[in-house]
Amino acid sequence: MTMTATLALQFTALCAALGVVMTTVESLWHWRHGNFGETGVWPWYVLRADHSAFASAVLTPVVDGAGLLVLLLARLTAAVLVPVCYWSGLNAGLPLLVLILSQFLLMWRCRLGNEGGDQMTTIMLTAAFLPEAVPHEHAVATFAALFVGAQISLSYVASGGAKLFGPLWRRGEALAEIMSHFQYGNYWFMTQLRTYPVACRLICLAVIAFQLSFPLFFLLPAPYAYAYLIGGVAFHLGIAYFMRLYLFVLTFLGTYPCLIFAREVFRSYVGL
């Protein structure tokens, strides 16, 4: 095998940490401009109504006002320490644990607006933390890397299956409709797709085919199998450029070393 579980998970953790830096810097900007305050977009006195009185009372010092600032700064520091620990040969368990706990606290603070990138970040950080917590159990690293590889594969297949049962995707109209969204769309791309509906339909069908057939990545021999990774890179870069969902690039592409490791383990196990 050319890819080890430890190397795959470290790459995954580095991408997740970079994504945390990006989102935390953005959150610090929002905090500085009062968007988490009483007159902001995400005021705690409104969001706390979605939680029990006990939980709100206990966690208010952490997720509101100066406490939220401390949480964000601790999160940013931990994200910076992850690569420092790896490069120095130190155990990265503590900064990874801080990132996991802060991830849950921030997602708990506001249950709205979280997307696939946030969920994948949680999975990546947890998988990277496990072998750091029990560093002498190599099976833990293997299990964690295989889980990440299985998770990303499942996410592609599930997403492709959902699109297959969507009439707009089957008719080849979904992408143009997505590009018309006021926040996540792209006006130029929308006009091109509506001007050339055949191209729009071909792109929609190609996305469905790519996602549904992704398990072939484990079955095809190299170098043909790696065409799926190239397609995935193009897919996520396109999402980042046209929809401005930049976290998707770091989180999903950050799992690809685990995919490669899972493929090698699978092919070795079945004798391919």
Side-chain angles (χ1 to χ4, degrees):
M1 295 184 185
T2 58
M3 178 64 70
T4 66
T6 299
L7 182 62
L9 289 171
Q10 287 184 353
F11 184 87
T12 294
L14 290 174
C15 289
L18 183 57
V20 167
V21 169
M22 181 179 69
T23 56
T24 305
V25 168
E26 180 183 2
S27 295
L28 286 169
W29 184 92
H30 284 297
W31 187 93
R32 184 172 181 271
H33 289 78
N35 290 330
F36 293 114
E38 291 187 0
T39 60
V41 182
W42 303 286
W44 175 237
Y45 81 92
V46 174
L47 296 175
R48 68 182 298 170
D50 195 34
H51 306 286
S52 68
F54 175 77
S56 298
V58 171
L59 294 176
T60 289
V62 183
V63 297
D64 193 26
L68 178 59
L69 176 61
V70 172
L71 176 64
L72 292 173
L73 291 175
R75 181 172 170 80
L76 183 61
T77 302
V80 173
L81 285 176
V82 168
V84 173
C85 289
Y86 285 150
W87 292 329
S88 303
L90 301 174
N91 189 290
L94 181 58
L96 286 170
L97 180 60
V98 171
L99 291 179
I100 293 169
L101 294 177
S102 61
Q103 181 84 359
F104 279 111
L105 282 171
L106 292 174
M107 293 178 70
W108 178 86
R109 184 185 190 275
C110 182
R111 299 182 184 181
L112 304 174
N114 296 311
E115 33 89 355
D118 298 300
Q119 297 158 6
M120 188 58 70
T121 297
T122 304
I123 292 173
M124 294 164 72
L125 292 173
T126 304
F129 168 74
L130 291 176
E132 298 294 319
V134 279
H136 302 297
E137 292 291 339
H138 299 294
V140 174
T142 300
F143 170 80
L146 290 176
F147 179 82
V148 173
Q151 176 64 36
I152 188 67
S153 302
L154 178 61
S155 68
Y156 281 140
V157 174
S159 180
K163 291 180 177 65
L164 183 63
F165 287 96
L168 286 177
W169 277 99
R170 291 200 306 272
R171 293 200 301 266
E173 302 170 4
L175 190 56
E177 292 296 321
I178 294 171
M179 289 299 106
S180 68
H181 193 275
F182 75 97
Q183 183 174 359
Y184 297 115
N186 182 287
Y187 179 78
W188 176 84
F189 196 27
M190 178 200 69
T191 57
Q192 298 303 309
L193 292 171
R194 288 183 171 171
T195 302
Y196 304 100
V198 174
C200 183
R201 186 178 186 188
L202 288 176
I203 295 173
C204 288
L205 295 178
V207 170
I208 295 174
F210 163 74
Q211 293 185 322
L212 282 180
S213 65
F214 196 83
L216 290 177
F217 170 72
F218 295 91
L219 300 174
L220 292 174
Y224 306 108
Y226 294 102
Y228 276 93
L229 299 188
I230 296 173
V233 170
F235 176 65
H236 290 293
L237 287 178
I239 290 176
Y241 180 79
F242 289 112
M243 299 183 67
R244 297 171 296 283
L245 293 172
Y246 304 113
L247 186 60
F248 268 77
V249 176
L250 292 171
T251 52
F252 279 81
L253 298 188
T255 65
Y256 277 18
C258 289
L259 263 176
I260 295 172
F261 174 76
R263 177 181 180 272
E264 293 175 350
V265 170
F266 172 79
R267 292 179 64 83
S268 175
Y269 182 77
V270 300
L272 291 178

